[in-house]
Amino acid sequence: MKKTIILISINLMFFGAILSQENFNKLPSVDVKTLSGKTLNTSKISNDGPIFLSFWATWCKPCIRELIAIDENYIDWQEETGLKVYAVSIDDTKSTGRVAPFVNGRAWEFEVLLDANSDFKRAMNVINVPHSFILNKNGEVVWQHTSYSPGDEDEIYEVIKKVAAGEDINH
């Protein structure tokens, strides 16, 4: 009887680990706000092509440089790969009011989401910003990157092209 219980426990731990790893590659279900104040559940984020998801803040200089570089290329990348970009602001409730004027002043073309309580940030295990993810058309996280240096957008675009072509990404 003890052997049976031990075997069942080991099997549950093994299959539970496999299932949790599969779920880790998908976006968690967390409510965030759009700039217009609407609630969006992050599990609904989807696209027929790759998705670039970047966690950022108005006070983060590397984040802003990354998003400016992405914005400069966004229309071309969107036409070539079907890319969709979501920039998730982690500014807290005190500074979240600065996000919309900040974004509008730069005329960024992509979606900006507000994660004022950092629920989405925690669910994605984001410690520092910028922290970026690329998802495939199935909504699976296939690549992630922290920090930003000028020229990183070239590597990001190479990954986006591979994801759009359905190639495996080993990063």
Side-chain angles (χ1 to χ4, degrees):
M1 181 72 174
K2 282 186 178 181
K3 284 184 178 181
T4 304
I5 292 173
I6 290 172
L7 285 174
I8 289 172
S9 297
I10 290 171
N11 282 334
L12 287 174
M13 289 186 328
F14 176 74
F15 289 113
I18 289 172
L19 288 175
S20 67
Q21 192 169 17
E22 285 178 8
N23 289 334
F24 178 74
N25 289 337
K26 294 280 191 176
L27 289 180
S29 176
V30 177
D31 286 339
V32 294
K33 296 283 185 185
T34 65
L35 282 183
S36 62
K38 293 180 180 170
T39 300
L40 173 74
N41 189 288
T42 56
S43 65
K44 305 283 186 214
I45 292 175
S46 65
N47 189 28
D48 291 334
I51 295 172
F52 181 76
L53 183 71
S54 179
F55 286 83
W56 70 288
T58 55
W59 45 262
C60 171
K61 301 279 187 220
C63 302
I64 296 164
R65 286 195 297 265
E66 178 183 58
L67 290 174
I68 289 171
I70 298 296
D71 185 60
E72 288 173 353
N73 297 293
Y74 185 46
I75 300 297
D76 291 337
W77 292 2
Q78 197 174 33
E79 288 175 6
E80 294 167 13
T81 65
L83 174 70
K84 189 161 187 174
V85 173
Y86 289 90
V88 182
S89 167
I90 62 159
D91 286 87
D92 62 17
T93 53
K94 293 178 188 170
S95 60
T96 204
R98 288 186 241 152
V99 175
F102 188 91
V103 169
N104 293 335
R106 284 159 179 78
W108 287 344
E109 297 287 331
F110 40 79
E111 292 279 336
V112 176
L113 303 174
L114 306 173
D115 185 29
N117 295 326
S118 295
D119 293 337
F120 191 29
K121 175 186 158 197
R122 275 191 297 279
M124 293 293 289
N125 294 319
V126 171
I127 307 297
N128 296 314
V129 289
H131 191 140
S132 304
F133 299 87
I134 295 178
L135 288 72
N136 63 20
K137 66 180 181 183
N138 299 321
E140 299 164 334
V141 174
V142 294
W143 182 90
Q144 60 180 301
H145 179 79
T146 57
S147 76
Y148 174 77
S149 297
D152 282 355
E153 64 274 14
D154 297 333
E155 178 189 357
I156 291 168
Y157 186 56
E158 290 303 315
V159 173
I160 288 169
K161 286 193 302 188
K162 288 180 180 177
V163 171
E167 296 178 25
D168 276 339
I169 306 300
N170 295 318
H171 183 69

